[in-house]
Amino acid sequence: MYDYLIVGAGLFGATFANLAKASGKSVLVIDKRDHIAGNVYSKKIENINVHVYGAHIFHTNNKEVFDYLSKFTTFNRFTNSPVANFKGELYSLPFNMYTFNKMWGIITPEEAFKKIKEQKKKAGIVNPKNLEEQAISLVGTDIYEKLIKGYTEKQWGRSCKELPPSIIKRLPVRFTYDNNYFNALYQGVPIGGYTKMVEKMLDGIEVRLGWDYLKDKSYYDSLADRIVYTGPVDAYFNFSLGALEYRTVRFENEVLETDNYQGNAVVNYTDIDTPFTRIIEHKWFEFGLDENGNDIPKSVVSREYSQEWKQGDEPYYPLNDTKNSELYNKYKELASLEEKVIFGGRLAQYRYFDMDAVVAQAISIFKQYC
């Protein structure tokens, strides 16, 4: 009946479906959820585009990806400049000269380099063996203790000494007075929300929501020549080798009778005693304005709680430790034997992807198979 059955209406599935349709292929997209757009799904509450599954700020240096998505949306000029709150003390993120000035009272990059070097030497770190040592080698003991340790241990549910140094290597550290978290050529948030963008990507494509592929796999497989699967790879094989592990996130959302709760889109709470990791105030992703440019009188905030994943929870962050990486490689071998199925995206490849990387991967795989 179809050339492609695409399982999952998130960014990977929507990109592949759009490209397939444009090349003349017949496509059916299904998703077990009651909405499209996967984890970038945004929903209007009080005229605010709320990021239902957590904050998503698009950023990329890939012009092909940016130009492709720009066919379906206009990105605003939002720049991600989060704030770290440690017991009422506020610090700039990413770590930069404003952070160093607040922490140590220093002014020049030379002073900051010297301070970090002194603290690294005092800690006796030569070759970082875990996240704690890697963090201290990057920004010193003081910043690690106040702004990294508590937040990271809440996020991952493990001691920083038990986590690999690779996790912290993505963290930007700048010896300039620059609060821009992403050092990317293109960044912003789709005007009107991510759901509106994905709707345009799927325009003219048959989409069925509430259809769970894994509940009747043989039937769905009979519908198309090829399957594009974007769900969890272990679930595809009925967890036959065991379950891959994730961290998940729980959200507490609140509508507030105020036009400005925290003055910033993202505030991280870095002490271990505050149970949530951060508060998102969604209206500031679009500068507190509705689509007509009017001020929005209310606000919506989301408190994020990181917790251990169990089957039935939404999987967010893969635990790419040795045990889980080895298990994934075994599933990857099984996946390679599925001649009819294309595995793509965050869950199918058990890997954390930024949004631009998901789209780039979908474009690349489409070119490979089509």
Side-chain angles (χ1 to χ4, degrees), residues 134-297:
Q134 181 67 51
I136 293 172
S137 70
L138 286 172
V139 292
T141 306
D142 294 338
I143 290 177
Y144 165 71
E145 291 289 344
K146 282 192 173 184
L147 305 184
I148 296 176
K149 186 176 188 295
Y151 183 91
T152 303
E153 292 186 350
K154 286 189 293 185
Q155 186 177 32
W156 292 100
R158 288 157 177 76
S159 166
C160 288
K161 293 179 180 178
E162 298 173 6
L163 292 167
S166 58
I167 292 177
I168 208 75
K169 285 181 179 178
R170 295 179 70 226
L171 195 68
V173 180
R174 303 203 179 100
F175 292 89
T176 58
Y177 289 92
D178 181 6
N179 286 333
N180 182 358
Y181 195 91
F182 299 120
N183 189 17
L185 183 60
Y186 310 103
Q187 62 178 300
V189 172
I191 294 175
Y194 283 98
T195 301
K196 185 176 180 181
M197 179 185 79
V198 176
E199 281 176 352
K200 290 184 178 180
M201 295 172 75
L202 294 172
D203 184 44
I205 296 171
E206 187 176 352
V207 179
R208 295 288 177 261
L209 301 176
W211 284 24
D212 190 340
Y213 171 76
L214 295 178
K215 282 191 175 179
D216 198 353
K217 186 171 168 298
S218 58
Y219 166 71
Y220 290 120
D221 285 347
S222 71
L223 297 179
D225 293 332
R226 301 211 71 158
I227 311 297
V228 178
Y229 178 78
T230 70
V233 64
D234 52 354
Y236 179 90
F237 294 104
N238 198 28
F239 306 100
S240 57
L241 303 176
L244 291 164
E245 295 176 300
Y246 296 84
R247 292 292 288 177
T248 190
V249 182
R250 177 174 62 86
F251 300 94
E252 287 184 357
N253 300 318
E254 186 178 4
V255 177
L256 301 173
E257 300 293 329
T258 178
D259 64 349
N260 192 350
Y261 175 70
Q262 65 183 17
N264 205 49
V266 182
V267 177
N268 292 357
Y269 285 77
T270 61
D271 64 285
I272 196 67
D273 296 323
T274 301
F276 45 84
T277 55
R278 61 181 181 173
I279 297 179
I280 307 300
E281 189 168 10
H282 298 269
K283 68 188 302 181
W284 300 123
F285 291 124
E286 297 179 75
F287 316 112
L289 305 174
D290 64 20
E291 290 184 47
N292 297 315
N294 301 314
D295 292 329
I296 301 173

Side-chain angles (χ1 to χ4, degrees), residues 319-330:
L319 290 179
N320 295 121
D321 56 16
T322 301
K323 180 183 75 170
N324 283 284
S325 295
E326 289 176 353
L327 179 57
Y328 167 67
N329 285 331
K330 293 177 182 177

